[in-house]
């Protein structure tokens, strides 16, 4: 598989080449002038507007459409060569049979992009690799004879990073409020990965998230006497609650220990409104 990454694509789109491609379909000169002015509207830096001589405004509503108009020529070239490929904006994967073929395709496509569209590949990020060792739009796949979609490891790492920030901000907050604040992130994430067929990662993430919440609870209790009292309230025996509260271990160790798992099982977090990623993916798959 050839994983193409175009270097600073949205910053380096050539205006003349893009406008020539648009003019092939649009004959209204007023509309063409409006698009040209949009491209050259510039960026504001320190209160001063700097004119744009290349690139499309990032975050602008027209930029994704204009990028597809320009890179449609790349799609046509790949189709003409008979390659299987998948492209989204400036991210493109081309599927070939051998590593040698991949190297050959990468060189020829790099030459095509530079000559026809004046774009360059990012040599550090573009690579030839096995499909299951790479990712595309946050997805990866298994190395089985019939591949299955899964969440890419880099996507899991990014999610954990965002959740750690939320847990850090949630210290001292009411648990329900912390869960409510995290719900939009979890719901959006699982909706995006609803096509995944490998489910164990969702179960592992659910366990990690619940352990994080148990860690927050343990920290909030602070003193051993408070911990013993609250563990008894969660229906642990007096002897076990006292032994657990005075064990001298840190919050992370205790959050994964049996006493906190028994005191705060999955059903407790379900009642608090915490989204279970595994439950959600099972619902999605039952509907399909």
């Amino acid at each position: 598989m050839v994983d193409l990454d175009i270097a600073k694509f949205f910053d380096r789109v050539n205006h003349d080449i893009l406008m020539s491609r648009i003019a092939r379909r649009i004959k209204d000169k007023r509309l063409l002038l409006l698009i040209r002015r949009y491209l050259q509207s510039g960026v504001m830096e320190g209160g001063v507007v700097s004119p744009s001589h290349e690139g499309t405004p990032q975050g602008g509503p027209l930029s994704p459409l204009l990028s597809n108009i320009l890179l449609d020529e790349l799609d046509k070239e790949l189709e003409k060569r008979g390659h299987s490929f998948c492209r989204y904006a400036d991210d493109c994967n081309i599927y070939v049979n051998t590593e040698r073929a991949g190297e050959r395709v990468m060189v020829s496509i790099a030459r095509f992009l530079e000559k026809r569209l004046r774009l360059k590949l990012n040599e550090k990020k573009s690579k030839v690799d096995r499909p299951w060792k790479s990712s595309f739009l946050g997805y990866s796949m298994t190395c089985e004879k019939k591949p299955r979609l899964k969440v890419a490891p880099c996507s899991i790492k990014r999610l954990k990073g965002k959740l750690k920030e939320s847990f850090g901000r949630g210290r001292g907050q009411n648990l329900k409020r912390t869960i409510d604040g995290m719900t939009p992130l979890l719901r959006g994430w699982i909706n995006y990965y609803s096509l995944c067929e490998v489910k164990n990662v969702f179960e592992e993430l659910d366990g990690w998230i619940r352990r994080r919440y148990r860690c927050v609870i343990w920290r909030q209790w602070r003193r051993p006497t408070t911990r013993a009292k609250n563990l008894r309230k969660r229906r642990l025996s007096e002897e076990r609650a006292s032994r657990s509260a005075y064990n001298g271990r840190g919050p992370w160790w205790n959050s994964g220990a049996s006493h906190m798992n028994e005191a705060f099982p999955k059903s407790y977090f379900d009642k608090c409104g915490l989204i279970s990623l595994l439950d959600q993916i099972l619902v999605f798959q039952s509907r399909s």
Side-chain angles (χ1 to χ4, degrees), residues 92-266:
C92 183
N93 282 355
I94 307 170
Y95 302 98
V96 294
N97 292 325
T98 64
E99 183 178 356
R100 181 179 293 182
E103 298 288 353
R104 195 166 55 243
V105 167
M106 181 178 286
V107 171
S108 63
I109 292 299
R111 193 183 304 123
F112 170 83
L113 288 170
E114 192 165 355
K115 184 178 179 181
R116 295 287 293 274
L117 303 178
R118 297 187 192 175
L119 297 170
K120 289 187 177 181
L121 288 184
N122 186 326
E123 294 182 1
K124 291 183 179 179
K125 293 185 178 180
S126 298
K127 59 184 178 181
V128 177
D129 209 342
R130 299 286 188 185
W132 52 86
K133 292 183 180 180
S134 188
S135 64
F136 184 65
L137 303 177
Y139 279 86
S140 187
M141 62 180 70
T142 61
C143 58
E144 302 159 346
K145 188 174 182 180
K146 187 179 179 181
R148 293 179 297 154
L149 284 176
K150 66 176 186 177
V151 183
C154 58
S155 302
I156 298 170
K157 187 177 179 180
R158 279 197 299 271
L159 175 66
K160 284 187 172 182
K162 291 179 181 178
L163 292 176
K164 283 179 181 178
E165 291 178 10
S166 298
F167 283 120
R169 292 194 298 269
R171 287 181 183 176
Q173 279 189 3
N174 175 274
L175 186 67
K176 183 70 167 61
R177 185 180 298 176
T178 307
I179 289 173
D180 290 343
M182 199 177 290
T183 296
L185 172 62
L186 292 176
R187 194 177 296 282
W189 193 85
I190 193 60
N191 285 341
Y192 182 80
Y193 289 103
S194 61
L195 298 176
C196 282
E197 299 165 283
V198 179
K199 297 185 284 292
N200 63 326
V201 65
F202 302 110
E203 187 175 6
E204 291 169 6
L205 277 170
D206 279 340
W208 181 84
I209 292 169
R210 288 194 292 269
R211 184 172 181 180
R212 278 278 170 182
Y213 275 116
R214 293 184 188 108
C215 186
V216 170
I217 294 169
W218 189 263
R219 287 180 185 277
Q220 288 178 346
W221 286 347
R222 295 189 179 181
R223 296 191 178 117
T225 52
T226 306
R227 290 166 179 167
K229 182 180 73 173
N230 287 328
L231 286 173
R232 287 195 297 271
K233 285 182 180 179
R234 298 298 305 168
R235 299 182 181 177
L236 267 68
S237 67
E238 186 167 344
E239 188 273 331
R240 189 180 179 197
S242 297
R243 189 175 69 250
S244 301
Y246 288 90
N247 61 29
R249 301 275 191 166
W252 184 245
W253 185 91
N254 278 284
S255 65
S258 60
H259 55 270
M260 284 298 283
N261 277 273
E262 187 176 330
F264 296 95
K266 178 181 179 297

Side-chain angles (χ1 to χ4, degrees), residues 30 40 63 90 120 157 161 174 192 276:
R30 292 174 300 174
Q40 296 178 338
S63 294
D90 58 327
K120 289 187 177 181
K157 187 177 179 180
N174 175 274
Y192 182 80
S276 168

